[in-house]
Amino acid sequence: MKQKSVDEQLKLVAQKEQIERRQMFLTLLSSLRYLLRQGLAVRGHGDDSEGNLSQLLKARAEDSIALQKWIKTGSYQSPEVLNELTNTIGAEVLREVLNGIKSSRWFSIIGDETRDISNSEQLSISIRWVDKDYSIHEDFIGMFKVPKTDAETLSLAIEDVLVRCVLPISQCRGQAYDGASNMAGPKSGVAARILQRQPTAIPVHCLCHCINLCLQDVSRKCKCIRDALDLVYELVGLIKYSPKREHLFTQYQLQDSPNIHRLKPLCPTRWTCRTGSINAVIENYAVLQQTLEEIAETCRDEYGRKAAGFQALMGKFSTFFGLKLAHVVFGASEQLSTTLQSKDTTAQDARLAVNLCKAFYDRQRDASAFQIFYQAVLLEANGKTEPPTLPRYSNPPKRINDGDANFRFATAEHYHRREYFEIMESLSGELDARFDQKGFHLAALVEATILDNCSGKSYPIPKEVQDLYSKDLNIDRLQTQLSMLPDLVKSYVLEGKQITK
C-alpha cells in the first residue's frame, strides 16, 4: 500500500480536528441553549469555571474524552463569545416567532413600561396572535430602553419595534396597556396615537388591572378599608418576620383552633388576592390578641410597644368592623378576577361576570343588607372587642369655623352605616367607570355575532362592526358564511348543542 504524502496526512489530520471541534462547538451550543431555555445564569460570580455552563460541560464530558480535551483549551468560552452566541440564539428564536406572527396576518400589541433595578425605564412589548388552528399565542418580543415615558416617546418606540420586526402597523387589530394617562389617555395617549394611524387597532384596558385600580381607588377614599389593610400588613409583618414571635403565635393557635388558616402577607401588587390575608386575621383574631399581649409584656423594645398599640387597636369594634367589610369587598372582587383570568373566558363571560359583581355590590346598598351585616359583625365581635362607640369629635379652629354646628351621628351604628354605604357606592361607581370601554364593547359585539350565528340564531352583522372592518372583510360574503355556520358546526359537535365558546 502506497504511503500518503505528508501534505495529504496533514490535511486529513486538519479535517479530523475540524470535525471534532465542530462537534464540540455544537455541544457547547446545545448546553448554552438548555441554560437559556431554563432561565439559568450562564457564568458564575468571578470564577467562570464554577459557572453553570462550565459545570454542565464537565458533566457531559464524563462520557466524552474529546470534550474533556476541548474544555481545557477554553475555546469559545469567553464572556464576549458567549454573549454573542446568546444574542444569535435570541435573534433566531425571535425570527421564528415573527414568522408565525406574519403567517397569521393580523396581530395585537401588548405594552407596559417599567423601571428596572438600574433605575432605567424600559418598555416591554408582546404580540398576541392566532394561528391557523385558532390557538392563541402571546409572544414576548423584548425590553426596549426609553429615555422618557411620555406618550410620544412610547408610541414612537412601539412603531420603531414594529418596523424592525417587519410587522406593518396596518395589520394591527388591537392594543392592550395599563390605565396610566400616558398609555390610555383619550386624546394624546399611546393608544389614541396608534388609533389615529390605524383605526382598527382597538384599545382594551386589561380587565383584571381594572379591578385592581377599582380596589386601589376605593381603599384610598375610604378610611375604614385603608386602616384595615394597614393593620393586616403591620400585624403579619410583626408576627411572620420573627421566628420567636411566629412560634409564640403558632403555640397559641394550636391551643385555640389548630385547623384555622395561618397568617398570609398581603400581596403587594395584586389587590384581588388579599382576601386570604384578611380572612386569616379575622379567623385568628383572638389568637392574635393573646399573642400581642404576650409580646407587649415580655418585649421591652420597639416591637413590644408596637404590639401594645396593635392590641389596643384590635380591642376596638371599629377595627373588627373594617376587617369584615374589607373581606366582603375583596372577596367578591377576587371571584371576579378568577373568572376573568380563566383561559376559556370569553368577552361575554367577562361582561357577565362584571355585571354579576356589580349587582352584588348594588344589592349590598340596601338598609336591610346593612342590618344583616352589622348584626352579624356585632355577634361575632362579642367577647373580642369593646362595644361600638362613636369616634372622638374635634372642633375646627375658630379661623376656619363658619359658625355652623358640626354634624354628629346619633349612634355608632349610624356612623358605621355611613362608612358601609360610602364604600359600596364608591365600588359601584368605579366599576361603571373602569369597565365602560368602547374597545371592549366592540370586542364583545364581534364575539356575540359569531356565537349567536353558531347556535342558529341568524343576526345581521352590527353596523359598528361593518364600519370598522369594511376594508378587511367582504361584508356580504361574511353574512352568507355566518348563515351557513350552524351547518358547519353541526358536523363537529352533537346536534342541538348550543355554542357558547
Side-chain angles (χ1 to χ4, degrees):
M1 183 176 178
K2 184 179 178 180
Q3 188 176 7
K4 295 180 180 179
S5 65
V6 175
D7 186 52
E8 289 178 343
Q9 292 183 36
L10 289 175
K11 286 182 179 179
L12 288 175
V13 172
Q15 288 177 0
K16 183 180 178 181
E17 289 181 352
Q18 286 178 354
I19 294 172
E20 287 184 355
R21 288 180 178 276
R22 186 180 296 114
Q23 186 60 41
M24 297 305 102
F25 181 68
L26 292 176
T27 303
L28 171 67
L29 282 178
S30 65
S31 301
L32 180 61
R33 184 178 62 181
Y34 168 77
L35 294 175
L36 296 175
R37 173 63 181 81
Q38 297 303 114
L40 300 174
V42 175
R43 299 188 296 272
H45 294 285
D47 188 5
D48 289 340
S49 64
E50 298 299 324
N52 291 331
L53 180 61
S54 296
Q55 294 301 315
L56 180 57
L57 288 173
K58 289 177 182 178
R60 298 183 68 177
E62 293 177 359
D63 302 322
S64 174
I65 298 177
L67 184 56
Q68 292 178 11
K69 295 179 180 178
W70 187 78
I71 291 176
K72 292 179 180 179
T73 64
S75 300
Y76 300 106
Q77 298 177 50
S78 66
E80 293 77 16
V81 172
L82 292 178
N83 287 340
E84 184 177 351
L85 292 175
T86 300
N87 293 333
T88 303
I89 293 174
E92 182 61 28
V93 171
L94 180 59
R95 192 177 296 111
E96 290 294 326
V97 170
L98 292 176
N99 287 337
I101 297 173
K102 293 170 187 175
S103 66
S104 69
R105 186 178 177 185
W106 292 314
F107 61 89
S108 296
I109 305 169
I110 303 175
D112 189 21
E113 79 278 3
T114 185
R115 190 185 337 175
D116 62 15
I117 195 171
S118 65
N119 205 29
S120 299
E121 290 287 351
Q122 298 205 41
L123 176 64
S124 165
I125 296 181
S126 301
I127 300 294
R128 183 181 175 94
W129 58 285
V130 182
D131 62 20
K132 62 181 180 180
D133 297 323
Y134 305 105
S135 297
I136 301 173
H137 301 266
E138 286 187 6
D139 292 316
F140 175 70
I141 301 300
M143 301 282 290
F144 305 93
K145 189 174 180 179
V146 290
K148 296 184 293 184
T149 57
D150 60 294
E152 182 180 5
T153 302
L154 295 178
S155 58
L156 290 175
I158 292 174
E159 293 175 14
D160 180 67
V161 170
L162 294 180
V163 170
R164 292 173 182 271
C165 294
V166 198
L167 296 175
I169 196 171
S170 60
Q171 295 179 0
C172 180
R173 292 296 176 269
Q175 306 176 69
Y177 312 112
D178 59 23
S181 59
N182 62 336
M183 304 297 284
K187 294 184 179 180
S188 60
V190 173
R193 289 171 181 267
I194 294 181
L195 199 61
Q196 289 174 0
R197 290 199 57 187
Q198 182 54 39
T200 54
I202 303 173
V204 176
H205 187 186
C206 173
L207 301 184
C208 289
H209 191 236
C210 288
I211 308 172
N212 255 14
L213 294 177
C214 288
L215 295 176
Q216 286 185 40
D217 291 343
V218 169
S219 299
R220 291 192 188 101
K221 294 176 183 176
C222 304
K223 183 177 182 299
C224 181
I225 296 290
R226 187 171 65 248
D227 291 346
L229 293 178
D230 289 343
L231 176 65
V232 173
Y233 176 80
E234 295 292 343
L235 273 177
V236 174
L238 180 68
I239 301 297
K240 296 288 289 183
Y241 299 137
S242 168
K244 178 181 177 181
R245 292 192 291 270
E246 186 172 13
H247 177 73
L248 179 62
F249 168 77
T250 303
Q251 293 300 315
Y252 278 120
Q253 189 183 44
L254 292 174
Q255 295 174 11
D256 187 70
S257 302
N259 296 324
I260 58 180
H261 295 91
R262 298 171 63 88
L263 294 180
K264 300 178 182 178
L266 285 176
C267 180
T269 55
R270 300 174 63 188
W271 286 60
T272 53
C273 297
R274 298 186 170 190
T275 312
S277 302
I278 299 171
N279 187 50
V281 172
I282 295 174
E283 289 184 348
N284 292 283
Y285 206 85
V287 177
L288 282 169
Q289 287 178 315
Q290 291 177 320
T291 305
L292 292 173
E293 183 179 2
E294 180 72 18
I295 295 173
E297 290 178 355
T298 56
C299 296
R300 302 301 178 185
D301 52 12
E302 60 173 320
Y303 298 108
R305 293 190 292 273
K306 281 186 177 181
F310 292 146
Q311 182 187 6
L313 196 61
M314 293 185 72
K316 298 180 179 180
F317 175 81
S318 59
T319 301
F320 192 76
F321 178 85
L323 289 170
K324 294 293 289 185
L325 187 54
H327 185 265
V328 172
V329 170
F330 283 85
S333 64
E334 183 175 0
Q335 294 300 318
L336 173 58
S337 178
T338 302
T339 302
L340 294 178
Q341 292 182 75
S342 172
K343 293 178 64 176
D344 298 327
T345 299
T346 63
Q348 293 188 86
D349 293 337
R351 186 162 58 179
L352 176 61
V354 172
N355 290 335
L356 287 175
C357 185
K358 185 178 180 300
F360 170 79
Y361 289 134
D362 288 341
R363 185 160 49 85
Q364 306 309 308
R365 297 164 57 189
D366 183 79
S368 60
F370 169 75
Q371 282 299 325
I372 294 173
F373 173 77
Y374 189 73
Q375 293 302 321
V377 175
L378 274 176
L379 183 63
E380 190 173 349
N382 186 26
K384 298 179 180 178
T385 69
E386 301 172 352
T389 57
L390 285 169
R392 293 178 58 186
Y393 289 97
S394 58
N395 293 321
K398 292 183 178 180
R399 58 186 175 82
I400 61 172
N401 191 352
D402 57 4
D404 295 334
N406 295 327
F407 176 78
R408 300 197 176 189
F409 294 95
T411 62
E413 180 178 344
H414 290 166
Y415 175 77
H416 292 305
R417 181 196 299 269
R418 187 206 64 176
E419 290 184 320
Y420 177 90
F421 282 102
E422 182 183 72
I423 292 170
M424 295 303 170
E425 289 173 3
S426 297
L427 273 171
S428 183
E430 288 290 338
L431 285 173
D432 285 336
R434 295 288 180 183
F435 287 93
D436 185 16
Q437 304 180 36
K438 182 180 178 181
F440 179 62
H441 170 71
L442 285 171
L445 198 60
V446 171
E447 182 187 87
T449 303
I450 297 175
L451 293 180
D452 288 341
N453 281 276
C454 280
S455 301
K457 303 174 184 177
S458 182
Y459 287 113
I461 302 174
K463 188 176 183 305
E464 294 173 85
V465 179
Q466 294 186 32
D467 295 340
L468 187 62
Y469 298 108
S470 59
K471 295 182 180 179
D472 295 333
L473 305 169
N474 186 323
I475 302 300
D476 294 333
R477 186 178 179 184
L478 177 61
Q479 187 68 67
T480 303
Q481 291 173 342
L482 286 175
S483 63
M484 300 171 62
L485 197 54
D487 301 312
L488 177 63
V489 171
K490 285 180 182 179
S491 63
Y492 291 98
V493 298
L494 295 176
E495 187 175 354
K497 183 178 179 180
Q498 187 175 6
I499 305 299
T500 58
K501 294 193 183 293

